[in-house]
Amino acid sequence: MEPKKKKSAQSIPVYRAADLQVVSGANLGDPLSFAAELDLDDTYELRRAATPRRLSIVAAENGSFTVAEGSAVGRPGATLHLDSCLTLMPATGRTTEVLVLVEVDEAGHVRGVYALPLADLAARTEYTLVGIDRVSARQKFAQLACVSFSRGTHITMASGEQKPIEDLSVGDLVLTRDDGPQAVRWIGESTVRAVGEFAPIRIRAGTLHNEGDLLVNPDHRLFIYQRFDALGAGRHEVLVRARHLVNGDTVVRLEGGFVDYFQLLFDRHHIIFAEGIAAETFFVDTRTRAALPDDLGRALDETLPGHEGRRHLEYEVSEALLDHPDPASLLKRASTQ
């Protein structure tokens, strides 16, 4: 029997429950908890010394999530439940949202509560709880994991034409690295505040031989062929998350304002070319499925062969292998020499 393939873990920045405490209201002095124990109009503060930790997660087949090996918080293998989406409002009046994840033990007892802010939280600032939503939390969580290109990104079509992603239509033929021309099945579009985990990563023109600036969401994976194994990955072909290439110069996180994101879905997970860089398309799994329209989600179960089992998914390299002052420059040299 072949061993089961290891599923790719995703890493999210979270605060522990004790980092957010009620400073005014019904639950005065209590840490953040799950929805059933929360009260609207309670006011929270983030501790001055609080810093986000990376929670690594793996999507489980039953729709829940588990803590991955190597996670900075949580017990590896423990089940995580996406509990709710909270709306917090500071004195400025500009609301921010926080997703609440709950870790449970084998008996179903709560072991930990984590807060995933969708925008930056400021320490010693009062935030009033004005909304508790148990319905949209999974969709918002899915959007964080969706690989997304920004408006204006040029996609290589089957004809060789470089077409802005916003001009693509369902059925258009796009050039893929491994399977030639493939038809677009669905195009997602959303406009979000460019803050926190939604702030795009900009890869300047020429950084990875790209013809123009490429803006993608932080967890978008890029496919790079190394002529020599500069990373010590044990192979020449690697998938690298955009966030791990940030160097403060040619690869930066763009905070502020809004960003238009587009997602391209095909019958299978593919590597396409965006601004000349090989990059992945929308990958359907337990977590990202919630970002799709309901009717498409049902159709996927019946008509698509599935996105699992693609060989290139095994090529992803860990952040540890990219622990270099300028990983983008290293990879560029490795791909040309």
Side-chain angles (χ1 to χ4, degrees):
M1 176 181 292
E2 292 186 5
K4 294 183 67 175
K5 292 182 179 179
K6 183 179 179 181
K7 291 192 174 183
S8 176
Q10 294 174 320
S11 176
I12 54 177
V14 299
Y15 290 101
R16 290 189 172 99
D19 291 332
L20 279 163
Q21 293 191 330
V22 179
V23 295
S24 176
N27 296 309
L28 180 64
D30 288 351
L32 182 72
S33 188
F34 46 89
E37 294 189 345
L38 301 179
D39 286 292
L40 292 174
D41 297 324
D42 274 0
T43 300
Y44 290 80
E45 272 192 11
L46 180 68
R47 291 190 306 111
R48 185 186 297 274
T51 56
R53 307 287 297 278
R54 303 302 299 191
L55 173 64
S56 296
I57 61 174
V58 174
E61 295 299 331
N62 63 0
S64 65
F65 309 95
T66 55
V67 180
E69 293 291 338
S71 180
V73 291
R75 181 174 61 82
T79 297
L80 285 167
H81 294 288
L82 184 57
D83 177 73
S84 56
C85 178
L86 310 181
T87 301
L88 303 177
M89 186 171 67
T92 59
R94 188 172 189 176
T95 60
T96 188
E97 293 178 318
V98 173
L99 297 180
V100 176
L101 295 99
V102 179
E103 178 186 351
V104 298
D105 61 19
E106 293 81 355
H109 299 139
V110 175
R111 292 191 74 255
V113 176
Y114 307 103
L116 168 60
L118 301 186
D120 291 337
L121 295 177
R124 304 301 297 272
T125 297
E126 294 188 349
Y127 293 93
T128 301
L129 179 61
V130 296
I132 304 172
D133 183 356
R134 294 185 178 183
V135 177
S136 67
R138 181 166 286 271
Q139 182 180 35
K140 292 180 183 295
F141 193 53
Q143 290 174 344
L144 286 175
C146 292
V147 297
S148 304
F149 301 96
S150 68
R151 179 179 295 275
T153 300
H154 289 88
I155 303 298
T156 302
M157 310 301 290
S159 64
E161 176 188 2
Q162 301 297 305
K163 195 171 186 178
I165 193 168
E166 62 270 21
D167 293 342
L168 267 62
S169 300
V170 171
D172 282 352
L173 293 178
V174 171
L175 180 65
T176 70
R177 180 184 182 273
D178 300 304
D179 298 295
Q182 294 293 322
V184 176
R185 179 66 174 257
W186 172 78
I187 301 174
E189 180 180 355
S190 61
T191 300
V192 298
R193 289 172 59 195
V195 295
E197 290 297 287
F198 285 113
I201 304 298
R202 180 179 66 189
I203 302 172
R204 290 187 183 276
T207 301
L208 292 173
H209 309 293
N210 43 314
E211 298 170 5
D213 286 3
L214 177 64
L215 274 74
V216 294
N217 72 312
D219 276 326
H220 205 132
R221 292 178 292 192
L222 310 176
F223 184 93
I224 299 171
Y225 178 81
Q226 310 172 93
R227 292 183 181 275
F228 66 94
D229 185 13
L231 296 180
R235 55 185 175 273
H236 293 283
E237 299 170 315
V238 294
L239 276 178
V240 180
R241 294 184 188 267
R243 71 163 71 250
H244 296 156
L245 297 177
V246 172
N247 58 20
D249 181 19
T250 59
V251 184
V252 297
R253 182 187 291 269
L254 293 183
E255 293 266 4
F258 292 82
V259 58
D260 294 331
Y261 276 140
F262 293 81
Q263 300 86 36
L264 296 181
L265 175 71
F266 295 80
D267 284 354
R268 302 191 72 180
H269 184 248
H270 288 291
I271 302 296
I272 62 173
F273 299 94
E275 299 296 348
I277 294 180
E280 69 173 329
T281 60
F282 189 101
F283 178 58
V284 180
D285 64 8
T286 306
R287 179 176 174 185
T288 60
R289 184 179 291 265
L292 299 172
D294 290 340
D295 57 343
L296 181 59
R298 289 191 294 271
L300 281 173
D301 294 330
E302 300 175 0
T303 62
L304 291 189
H307 284 204
E308 295 287 350
R310 299 291 277 164
R311 184 181 176 190
H312 55 247
L313 292 174
E314 303 171 16
Y315 299 159
E316 183 175 356
V317 296
S318 67
E319 184 176 7
L321 285 182
L322 293 160
D323 186 14
H324 184 275
D326 190 356
S329 178
L330 179 68
L331 285 168
K332 182 178 181 180
R333 291 196 305 270
S335 66
T336 56
Q337 293 181 2

